[in-house]
Amino acid sequence: MKPAKDAFAAAIERAEKSLKRRARGPAPETPQERGHTVTKLSDERAKKRREEARQIVAQARRLGLDPDTLAKIDSAAKAHAKSSENWIFVMLGPKENAAVVRWINQHSKRPHKAQELWATLLEHLRMDTGEIMATRQQLAERVGITPRDLSSTMSELASINAIRREKEGRTVRYFLNPGIATHIPNASARKAAREGAGPLLRIMEGGKP
C-alpha cells in the first residue's frame, strides 16, 4: 500500500494534467473530420441552389413567358444551380479591385458596409454573364443594411462603373464589370465582355467621378 504522501502527490499531478488539457481546449479536428464537415456544407449549398433554380424556372413558366425568355431564364437557373457544385474561382483584376476598395474608403457614405457588399457581390456572379444573382432584399440581409441603403450603395458602385444596371420594367438587374472580376474562362469571350463594359473604372482615369 502506498504511503498517504505518495497518493496525495499522485492526485495533485493528475489534477495538474487535467487543468493543462482544459487550458489547451478541445483537440483539433482531424483532416477526415474537417473534410466531412466541408463536404456536408458543400452538399447543403448545392441542394439549396438546385431548389432555388427549380423555383425560378417554375415561376417563369407560371407567368406564361415567351419561349425565348423562358430559355434564357432556364439557362441562368442552371448556371445558378451549378455554381455551388465545384469550387468556383473568380478571375479578379488586383489593380482594378484595389481601386474600387480605395474609392469606397474615400467616398462611400458607408465605407465598411460598402466593402462588405462589394465582397458579397463576388459570391453571386452568374457564370456566363456576370449578372449578380441575388435580390436586393437578399443582399441587404446578408450585409446587414436596409434595402434602401443597399440601393444607395449599389448606385455608388454604378457611378464608378464597378457595376452596371439594366432596367426591365420595374425590375433592375445588376452586372459586375468583367474588367474587374469575371467567371468567363474563354479568353476571346472575356476580352469581348470587357470591351463591351466600357472603361474599367472611371476613377482610374483620374479623380472622383
Side-chain angles (χ1 to χ4, degrees):
M1 181 176 180
K2 289 185 178 181
K5 183 178 179 181
D6 290 346
F8 180 73
I12 291 295
E13 184 178 356
R14 287 196 298 272
E16 288 177 342
K17 288 181 179 179
S18 177
L19 287 173
K20 287 179 181 178
R21 284 196 298 271
R22 291 181 183 178
R24 286 196 297 267
E29 288 182 325
T30 65
Q32 290 80 7
E33 290 171 334
R34 285 196 298 271
H36 181 62
T37 301
V38 170
T39 299
K40 286 182 68 176
L41 289 173
S42 177
D43 289 347
E44 285 299 316
R45 284 195 295 268
K47 182 179 178 181
K48 181 180 178 182
R49 290 209 171 212
R50 285 194 296 269
E51 177 58 23
E52 288 173 346
R54 187 193 67 75
Q55 291 178 6
I56 289 169
V57 174
Q59 180 65 22
R61 285 176 177 157
R62 282 196 293 270
L63 291 173
L65 300 178
D66 63 270
D68 288 342
T69 301
L70 189 59
K72 290 177 182 178
I73 291 174
D74 186 57
S75 176
K78 287 177 180 177
H80 178 69
K82 186 178 179 182
S83 64
S84 65
E85 293 178 2
N86 300 295
W87 187 2
I88 303 300
F89 291 91
V90 174
M91 286 173 278
L92 187 69
K95 180 180 178 182
E96 292 76 14
N97 182 61
V100 173
V101 174
R102 280 194 295 269
W103 188 92
I104 287 172
N105 283 333
Q106 295 170 14
H107 303 295
S108 176
K109 293 179 181 179
R110 307 168 191 84
H112 296 300
K113 289 299 182 181
Q115 284 191 53
E116 186 176 351
L117 173 61
W118 176 246
T120 301
L121 296 181
L122 298 175
E123 297 180 306
H124 295 280
L125 296 185
R126 177 174 157 177
M127 296 294 292
D128 54 344
T129 66
E131 182 176 0
I132 298 162
M133 302 299 289
T135 66
R136 186 179 74 151
Q137 184 66 37
Q138 289 170 336
L139 291 172
E141 290 176 357
R142 177 71 182 274
V143 177
I145 57 178
T146 66
R148 182 176 180 178
D149 287 344
L150 185 283
S151 294
S152 176
T153 304
M154 293 291 273
S155 293
E156 290 179 346
L157 294 173
S159 75
I160 57 174
N161 204 30
I163 63 173
R164 65 181 173 84
R165 290 177 290 195
E166 286 189 6
K167 196 166 184 179
E168 296 182 356
R170 299 180 64 182
T171 301
V172 178
R173 300 166 64 196
Y174 292 96
F175 297 80
L176 201 75
N177 187 321
I180 304 170
T182 182
H183 282 307
I184 302 173
N186 183 275
S188 59
R190 192 163 59 245
K191 182 175 182 292
R194 285 172 173 167
E195 290 174 350
L200 299 183
L201 284 173
R202 296 185 184 109
I203 54 175
M204 296 184 73
E205 298 175 348
K208 182 178 177 180

